[in-house]
Amino acid sequence: MKHALVTGGTRGIGRGVVDVLLSQGWRVTATGVNPDHVSKARDADYLTNRILDVTDGAGVAALVAEIDRLDALINCAGITKRGQEYDIDAFEQVIAVNLTGTMRMCTACHDLLAESGGAIVNVASMLTFFGGPLVPAYTASKGGVGQLTKALAAHWAKDGIRVNAVAPGWIHTDLTQVLKDDPVRNDTVLSRTPMGRWGDPEDVGRAISLLLSPDAGFVTGTVIPVDGGYSAV
Ligand code: NAI
């Protein structure tokens, strides 16, 4: 049975990814940094939920050392500090989780993925392509995730590891509920998105599952928008 490790998999988009992979017969280890979310996520058949802070090198190494086989790494852990990111400490914290944390997970899992011929999917953002004025750190981190994806894809193709990213548009999660509840901002999202709806976490999960599948066997180094056409107009 194939095994996937999903950081940030205990809620939001990551949880949607986990649900899709479980439905397709994967065994999944889902991690989150918040103990409440991790305990609420509850273990199930073929699903283990764990606490993991991707900025904690020793913690990452310890978790990866427990894994016997790994076919997929999905880096979904991410934060934003909207309105605070011109402060250098806040800037560094966001980069540490979103960009350095992604790199830490990728390097920690390299040998396991090389052994299985596995694949990585990183979660980028529309701000991989556009600038977010209130979130310079998030923008820089997600731009970095896109470029990191290409560098690792180029370097690790020789090891049989494919590395891709998805760039979600507006996805309905706990994080974005406040926007959806505000009629003006909700309307802005809907009118700016050609498909005229919010995405679901499972929309992102299905795109990731495609990138993990043999159908994407010659696909590496890409950043694929999952955005209902947002980045096309
Ligand atoms: P969320 O806040 O619901 O989930 C974030 C997850 O990351 C949580 O499971 C949390 O425990 C984990 N996390 C946070 N800090 C961590 C750390 N230091 N170490 C390990 N895990 C940590 O957010 P959501 O909306 O599900 O976002 C997930 C990913 O998708 C993020 O990378 C986000 O940037 C990205 N994204 C979200 C979009 C949206 O519309 N919701 C749009 C584009 C990208």
Side-chain angles (χ1 to χ4, degrees):
M1 182 179 264
K2 291 198 171 193
H3 179 213
L5 174 59
V6 184
T7 71
T10 52
R11 70 172 217 173
I13 291 177
R15 175 50 43 160
V17 175
V18 167
D19 289 343
V20 169
L21 293 180
L22 288 172
S23 76
Q24 295 180 351
W26 287 74
R27 177 165 65 92
V28 180
T29 301
T31 71
V33 76
N34 182 323
D36 285 348
H37 298 156
V38 173
S39 60
K40 269 189 206 143
R42 279 197 264 148
D43 291 355
D45 285 350
Y46 308 117
L47 170 63
T48 309
N49 294 284
R50 297 285 299 269
I51 292 175
L52 179 70
D53 182 342
V54 297
T55 67
D56 171 12
V60 168
L63 184 127
V64 171
E66 289 176 32
I67 296 176
D68 53 349
R69 170 193 173 130
L70 190 68
D71 301 277
L73 168 66
I74 297 97
N75 285 302
C76 205
I79 59 167
T80 182
K81 292 183 178 284
R82 187 180 164 88
Q84 302 170 43
E85 294 185 7
Y86 285 88
D87 173 80
I88 290 301
D89 288 342
F91 188 96
E92 285 187 338
Q93 284 166 24
V94 172
I95 297 285
V97 175
N98 297 6
L99 181 56
T100 313
T102 296
M103 178 62 172
R104 179 173 291 110
M105 291 306 303
C106 289
T107 52
C109 293
H110 168 275
D111 291 356
L112 284 165
L113 293 167
E115 210 172 304
S116 67
I120 296 171
V121 181
N122 297 321
V123 177
S125 162
M126 285 298 102
L127 297 187
T128 299
F129 315 118
F130 303 119
L134 294 180
V135 285
Y138 186 82
T139 303
S141 73
K142 293 297 184 174
V145 165
Q147 292 301 98
L148 176 65
T149 298
K150 295 176 197 175
L152 297 182
H155 194 47
W156 289 348
K158 65 178 181 346
D159 303 328
I161 303 172
R162 293 183 303 104
V163 188
N164 291 288
V166 292
W170 289 103
I171 308 298
H172 181 207
T173 64
D174 289 349
L175 203 68
T176 52
Q177 182 67 46
V178 61
L179 301 178
K180 197 162 190 281
D181 288 344
D182 176 336
V184 175
R185 295 169 91 179
N186 182 50
D187 192 53
T188 305
V189 169
L190 295 182
S191 60
R192 176 69 180 80
T193 302
M195 288 183 73
R197 69 169 176 89
W198 288 76
D200 293 319
E202 291 75 15
D203 286 318
V204 181
R206 283 187 288 272
I208 289 176
S209 134
L210 174 65
L211 286 169
L212 296 177
S213 80
D215 289 343
F218 198 50
V219 180
T220 198
T222 64
V223 182
I224 297 186
V226 184
D227 65 349
Y230 183 97
S231 57
V233 291

